[in-house]
Amino acid sequence: MSDTPESESPQLSPQDENRLIAERRAKLDALREEGIAFPNDFRKNTSSSELRERFGELDNDALSEVEERFAVAGRMMAKRVMGKIAFVRLQDRGGDIQLVVQRDNLPEGSYQKFKHWDVGDIIAGTGQMFRTQKGELSVKLDSLRLLTKSLRPLPEKWHGLTDTEMRYRQRYVDLVMNQDSRDVFRSRSRIISFIRAFMEAPGREFLEVETPMMHPIPGGAAARPFETHHNALDLDMYLRIAPELYLKRLIVGGLGRVYEINRNFRNEGVSTRHNPEFTMLEFYWAYADFNDLMDLTEQMLRELTEHVTGQSSVAYQGLTLDFGKPFERLSVEQAVRQYEPALAGANLWDEAELLRACKDRTIHTEKSWGPGRLLMELFEAVAEPHLSNPVFITSYPTEVSPLSRQNDADPLITDRFELFIAGREIANGFSELNDPEEQAARFRQQVESMEAGDFEAMHFDADYIRALEYGMPPTAGEGIGIDRLVMLLTDSPSIRDVLLFPYMRPET
């Protein structure tokens, strides 16, 4: 049990907050007059986590034999002054540790100055390890300094930072106040590090590359781009919606196995699942097909889950997601029939029948859509919400897969899959279309759709066609949404919970 108490003061009114800020500014002015504001000459030699790891099991007798002096620094999160002694909870990157501040242990005048410091200040000190009478592992200080004066009071700590919009807008405060938030972003970093190690491991040896983020032609996905302008070239450009066409140029060039952990930008709505800027893992594998991708993806996610959580299943928003057993595989048609029994005997490639099915379920349609697009709208409405445990949905219609290789036995579908977990798409992969003439014809179909009003249709990329004309080997490629994956493995309900700085409307 800590000797430092939790604050129980009520939430501050705007007037009280302004008064406290004014008082803190006055304290900073005094520090400036003394010439000691914002020093930069202190160097710490340990962290709270290192101290707990080294000394967490030692009693006071054993600690008394440790002659080392430790230099610690961090944010003062709690403070209790009891006459000539005070207890401080210091928070740093490793967690927190208690500091014991005694007037008679410090240089003359230091304790009096310390009593005027505020919770939220960045402080530093040196001392030795010991345990208090309550058994709390602590640093008994023999020196103490104020490094950074905090001008704004922290949110009332008893309840933490509970305003969701404030947490997203002021992530820096959220990270100070909420251990759970810090844990989410540490997990995110571990997830990305694991993926890099997995892709580059012996036997796989994918090469990490970087491709442009500003494109003269938007491509690689069906999405509306953000537009910008290159002043020096006097050229309209687009923020990347996907790196796909550039990565496949590298396959043409002979690199064989490439991946990129990339930022993409899509000018679309904002929701708990969508952010206009997001992170993807995208990779391409020569001499492989979409079945190889599914096997690799299943292995990666199973090992990743065990690495991050220590087990093969995770709890997500009331669901138990099992990554340990083989992932189910269903075609789009099979999924529609399975989750909408009324369509079990329907001809899911007959346009009139599909239109009736959509109309009966109040699903929006467009006159320009063919059977493939109608089937996908039906799938998204009746099947997608039910896909909880990991499942690969395969055999996507050619009409909605302009970059995918057609199935050799059935030209209406492609060798493509999407991985769904907890009712949302996590990955999209397919055997690549490497026939330049067929690809050019599909690009022309996309241009026709764009001219008909489809703002998400692809442009005609003549240079990509030229690259294919040099010859691309049989290849498979995939994109995995990192943000959604982090959501699943950290039980985060919104994509904003796993983005350090999500997009928000400007404050008024």
Side-chain angles (χ1 to χ4, degrees):
M1 179 177 178
S2 173
D3 293 287
T4 53
E6 297 295 316
S7 168
E8 298 183 16
S9 58
Q11 287 293 109
L12 293 173
S13 68
Q15 294 81 4
D16 287 338
E17 184 175 29
N18 289 337
R19 175 180 54 78
L20 290 177
I21 291 173
E23 290 176 359
R24 293 186 179 207
R25 288 190 184 279
K27 293 178 183 180
L28 176 59
D29 290 342
L31 294 172
R32 292 189 193 279
E33 289 180 6
E34 292 185 61
I36 57 173
F38 301 105
N40 192 30
D41 59 346
F42 182 87
R43 298 295 177 264
K44 57 188 295 187
N45 63 13
T46 189
S47 69
S48 60
S49 57
E50 291 168 357
L51 293 175
R52 292 188 181 282
E53 183 176 351
R54 283 188 62 185
F55 306 116
E57 301 301 319
L58 300 187
D59 61 20
N60 223 9
D61 290 338
L63 289 172
S64 66
E65 297 179 4
V66 179
E67 297 181 355
E68 291 177 74
R69 292 174 72 253
F70 299 97
V72 296
R75 190 179 299 274
M76 182 163 60
M77 297 299 294
K79 171 185 175 184
R80 183 172 64 169
V81 177
M82 303 171 64
K84 298 178 182 180
I85 188 170
F87 299 93
V88 168
R89 183 163 68 88
L90 185 82
Q91 178 178 290
D92 63 12
R93 66 180 177 84
D96 61 75
I97 193 79
Q98 180 166 271
L99 309 182
V100 175
V101 186
Q102 291 178 286
R103 187 190 68 178
D104 295 340
N105 265 18
L106 299 177
E108 186 161 350
S110 292
Y111 189 74
Q112 188 62 29
K113 290 180 179 179
F114 157 76
K115 290 201 296 184
H116 294 285
W117 299 351
D118 297 296
V119 169
D121 289 347
I122 308 295
I123 66 173
T126 57
Q128 293 180 293
M129 301 305 299
F130 88 118
R131 288 190 183 276
T132 65
Q133 291 181 348
K134 292 184 178 180
E136 176 76 7
L137 184 68
S138 307
V139 184
K140 183 188 293 184
L141 297 184
D142 52 41
S143 73
L144 186 61
R145 298 179 65 188
L146 176 61
L147 301 183
T148 303
K149 183 64 200 167
S150 172
L151 298 180
R152 291 181 177 271
L154 293 174
E156 194 276 303
K157 188 164 58 63
W158 183 257
H159 300 290
L161 190 61
T162 55
D163 185 290
T164 301
E165 183 170 331
M166 183 183 294
R167 288 181 53 228
Y168 299 150
R169 288 191 184 280
Q170 300 180 27
R171 182 67 80 187
Y172 38 90
V173 183
D174 177 39
L175 293 172
V176 168
M177 300 303 298
N178 292 330
Q179 179 66 44
D180 288 346
S181 288
R182 296 195 294 274
D183 290 343
V184 164
F185 292 106
R186 288 193 175 99
S187 293
R188 182 185 177 106
S189 180
R190 290 179 63 206
I191 289 167
I192 293 174
S193 294
F194 176 90
I195 288 172
R196 281 194 166 97
F198 181 91
M199 298 301 292
E200 296 176 12
R204 286 183 286 269
E205 297 164 350
F206 282 80
L207 178 69
E208 184 173 14
V209 298
E210 295 176 311
T211 61
M213 294 181 71
M214 291 196 301
H215 295 181
I217 298 173
R224 192 169 186 172
F226 286 96
E227 300 181 26
T228 186
H229 187 78
H230 193 301
N231 290 334
L233 298 178
D234 191 22
L235 179 67
D236 289 334
M237 300 192 78
Y238 304 88
L239 295 184
R240 174 172 63 195
I241 58 174
E244 177 169 343
L245 301 185
Y246 284 90
L247 290 172
K248 287 193 285 195
R249 285 171 168 93
L250 300 181
I251 298 296
V252 171
L255 294 187
R257 299 183 184 188
V258 296
Y259 81 95
E260 183 173 10
I261 296 177
N262 57 81
R263 302 291 282 182
N264 293 332
F265 306 84
R266 299 184 183 177
N267 202 347
E268 56 190 17
V270 177
S271 72
T272 58
R273 301 185 185 186
H274 297 89
N275 195 67
E277 177 183 356
F278 59 96
T279 303
M280 291 279 290
L281 163 67
E282 195 145 330
F283 59 98
Y284 291 83
W285 184 0
Y287 308 106
D289 67 14
F290 78 122
N291 291 298
D292 298 309
L293 291 180
M294 286 189 283
D295 293 341
L296 181 72
T297 302
E298 184 170 338
Q299 181 184 358
M300 178 198 295
L301 296 191
R302 181 172 295 119
E303 292 182 14
L304 173 61
T305 301
E306 292 176 351
H307 174 74
V308 173
T309 69
Q311 54 191 15
S312 60
S313 62
V314 297
Y316 180 73
Q317 301 298 294
L319 300 172
T320 298
L321 307 176
D322 189 353
F323 291 84
K325 64 183 182 182
F327 294 5
E328 188 178 9
R329 302 185 184 190
L330 293 172
S331 71
V332 172
E333 277 192 77
Q334 288 172 331
V336 170
R337 298 184 195 282
Q338 177 171 317
Y339 292 104
E340 186 60 278
L343 297 174
N347 181 353
L348 295 181
W349 291 99
D350 180 81
E351 186 169 344
E353 197 161 348
L354 285 166
L355 282 169
R356 283 195 299 273
C358 289
K359 182 178 180 181
D360 290 345
R361 293 159 181 81
T362 64
I363 298 171
H364 172 75
T365 63
E366 298 281 351
K367 290 182 179 180
S368 60
W369 294 354
R373 178 66 183 271
L374 294 170
L375 175 58
M376 287 310 303
E377 295 295 319
L378 197 59
F379 163 79
E380 290 175 7
V382 305
E384 191 172 305
H386 302 287
L387 305 177
S388 295
N389 270 311
V391 54
F392 291 110
I393 300 297
T394 65
S395 304
Y396 275 69
T398 301
E399 182 183 346
V400 297
S401 309
L403 299 170
S404 307
R405 176 187 173 89
Q406 279 182 322
N407 182 270
D408 290 335
D410 185 352
L412 290 177
I413 60 174
T414 58
D415 291 340
R416 174 187 171 191
F417 70 86
E418 288 186 341
L419 172 64
F420 285 86
I421 308 174
R424 64 193 61 168
E425 176 200 343
I426 300 296
N428 179 26
F430 42 82
S431 300
E432 300 294 338
L433 175 59
N434 61 344
D435 180 341
E437 294 179 349
E438 174 64 20
Q439 183 64 78
R442 297 218 205 154
F443 275 156
R444 285 191 287 269
Q445 292 173 354
Q446 288 288 300
V447 171
E448 291 174 4
S449 296
M450 186 184 303
E451 291 172 348
D454 186 350
F455 293 109
E456 295 186 349
M458 294 186 189
H459 293 236
F460 192 100
D461 191 332
D463 180 71
Y464 178 65
I465 297 299
R466 179 168 57 190
L468 289 184
E469 289 173 346
Y470 280 96
M472 184 173 79
T475 298
E478 180 176 352
I480 298 177
I482 297 294
D483 305 320
R484 290 184 178 181
L485 190 57
V486 176
M487 288 172 65
L488 292 175
L489 296 181
T490 60
D491 195 15
S492 299
S494 171
I495 195 171
R496 292 181 174 184
D497 294 323
V498 301
L499 300 174
L500 280 168
F501 301 103
Y503 283 113
M504 306 286 290
R505 292 186 183 276
E507 292 181 88
T508 56

